[in-house]
Amino acid sequence: MTVLFVDDEPQALRQLERQLIAEDVDWDCDFATSGEQAIEMLATAKYDAVVTDMRMPGMDGAALLNYVSKHYPNTVRIVLSKPSDRDAVLRSIMAMHQFLPKPCDASELRTTIDRACALRDVLVSDSLQRLVGGLSRLPSVPAVYRELTNALRNEDASISSIGKIVAKDAVMTAKVLQLVNSAIFCLSHHISDPIKAVSLLGASTLKSLVLAIGIFQEFEALGVNGFSAEVLMQHCLRVSRMTKLIGRRERLDSQALEDAITAATLHDIGKLVLHSIDPKTCAQAALKAEIDDIPLWRAERQIFGADHAAIGAHLLSVWGLPQTIIEIVALHHTPTKAYEMSFSPLTAVVASNYLSRAGSQLPLPTPDDELVRYFEMVVCGEKLESWHNLCSDVGKRNDESRKAPLPQDISL
């Protein structure tokens, strides 16, 4: 792997080089002391990753990463800067894959770059590029989501201000309130105020819900025969609810739990993209999966050359969502490829998706089952039964409300 480090302070680069040598990092490393010099080096050599400071004279880190994103989109882009450089970091938020605060030890830097490059390898393939190229246009990030994200970066943001952002979009407000008042929340009274909904859901949960609603509504408008974005949304939000329960049981920290919930909400959006590109071939993949008794994602790979997990992750990558969320979406069917082999947000989502399809009885494990192997690798196989019991109410509510016009079990 070849990595380019950029910092206007030569001393900082020398210290970083010493740390990488001490960590015995097996990379070919080059160093640049300005954004302009980095661009010259990028023109003459191929780099797997660029790691840059933010505050530099001339071309700063934000401008550099935006340039790299445009001209070298397959290069992993990492910010290594002081937390005080917040404004500059926000200017590059759509161009960077990961932010690491200074000082950062070499071990964390190594792990971050290795896993980002591993994810890139999953998402960069000729088959995937051909598939995405078949879509006339990628859906855009909902405007309400962008506004919420910007507002939540402000430490002074209030529940009232967040609720008012949602209230600007009448359709979004109606859908959010519809879901908040669904049976799964078990509320004692009806909620008709979006500000009250924010106080019940929490800002981060509301953000992922708004994103999901926007995406699913846009695809539903396409009207693909034999496919319902609403039904798929029920599944995704059921998995989100179960992910939240499992994540809390296993004591994920607040940021990890938020990432898990968001990823669970979006884990199957690649199916929407596939049906938009070629609904007839999607039907063939579903039939092949049934006839050959294989998972749908395997049938998709055989027919399309890529599966819905990779396509969904690609879409989120284009939108600039955090790498942790993109990784979960990309690997939710192939978690044994993950860099980390311990309980993580990925584990919570994989388990929730597995249990959501299991029904009232856990399936008997088979030796060649990818997910069973993964649960053994992260030493949580014995917890599946307790997680299944924990989430059983979500499944029961779903069974009781299948005929309802709107999902009654979708809580984040």
Side-chain angles (χ1 to χ4, degrees), residues 246 250 343 351 355 380 383-391:
I246 292 173
E250 300 303 320
F343 185 88
L355 294 173
C380 69
K383 294 184 177 182
L384 284 175
E385 185 172 355
S386 66
W387 292 343
H388 184 258
N389 293 334
L390 175 69
C391 298

Side-chain angles (χ1 to χ4, degrees), residues 119 122-125 128 131-132 267 270-271 274 297 300-301 305-317 326 329-334:
L119 178 59
V122 171
L123 298 183
V124 177
S125 70
L128 181 58
L131 272 175
V132 175
H267 75 280
K271 291 182 178 179
L274 274 178
W297 65 269
E300 289 170 346
R301 286 190 177 183
D307 60 30
H308 65 269
I311 292 172
H314 175 85
L315 177 60
L316 300 185
S317 178
I326 296 170
V329 173
L331 301 179
H332 74 271
H333 287 306
T334 55

Side-chain angles (χ1 to χ4, degrees), residues 143-252:
V144 177
Y145 174 79
R146 283 192 180 277
E147 195 170 352
L148 281 175
T149 300
N150 290 333
L152 290 172
R153 293 190 187 118
N154 183 353
E155 296 177 357
D156 297 326
S158 65
I159 288 177
S160 177
S161 65
I162 298 301
K164 288 177 181 177
I165 291 172
V166 178
K168 291 180 183 178
D169 186 323
V171 175
M172 183 66 73
T173 299
K175 190 66 174 180
V176 167
L177 293 176
Q178 199 169 37
L179 300 182
V180 170
N181 287 294
S182 61
I184 191 66
F185 283 96
C186 301
L187 300 180
S188 58
H189 58 284
H190 184 82
I191 301 298
S192 58
D193 181 358
I195 295 176
K196 182 65 174 178
V198 177
S199 67
L200 291 171
L201 291 173
S204 61
T205 294
L206 177 73
K207 187 175 70 170
S208 63
L209 180 58
V210 163
L211 180 55
I213 290 171
I215 297 168
F216 282 89
Q217 284 183 335
E218 184 164 349
F219 278 102
E220 183 78 349
L222 296 174
V224 178
N225 290 332
F227 178 78
S228 170
E230 182 73 24
V231 171
L232 183 60
M233 187 177 184
Q234 291 184 43
H235 164 69
C236 288
L237 294 179
R238 184 166 65 253
V239 172
S240 289
R241 172 61 177 162
M242 296 167 75
T243 294
K244 184 173 184 178
L245 293 173
I246 292 173
R248 282 180 169 175
R249 167 71 65 88
E250 300 303 320
R251 299 183 179 179
L252 286 176

Side-chain angles (χ1 to χ4, degrees), residues 266-285:
L266 304 173
H267 75 280
D268 270 348
I269 63 167
K271 291 182 178 179
L272 298 174
V273 179
L274 274 178
H275 277 84
S276 299
I277 297 171
D278 192 344
K280 290 184 178 179
T281 308
C282 284
Q284 293 174 11

Side-chain angles (χ1 to χ4, degrees), residues 305-379:
D307 60 30
H308 65 269
I311 292 172
H314 175 85
L315 177 60
L316 300 185
S317 178
V318 169
W319 285 349
L321 266 69
Q323 286 291 99
T324 48
I325 294 173
I326 296 170
E327 182 180 67
I328 294 170
V329 173
L331 301 179
H332 74 271
H333 287 306
T334 55
T336 56
K337 295 180 179 179
Y339 184 86
E340 182 180 7
M341 279 300 143
S342 59
F343 185 88
S344 67
L346 172 63
T347 314
V349 175
V350 169
S352 298
N353 194 39
Y354 178 78
L355 294 173
S356 73
R357 300 185 182 282
S360 59
Q361 297 293 328
L362 282 175
L364 295 174
T366 57
D368 61 342
D369 190 315
E370 162 96 10
L371 300 187
V372 170
R373 290 200 308 274
Y374 171 71
F375 294 137
E376 291 174 349
M377 292 169 72
V378 297
V379 196

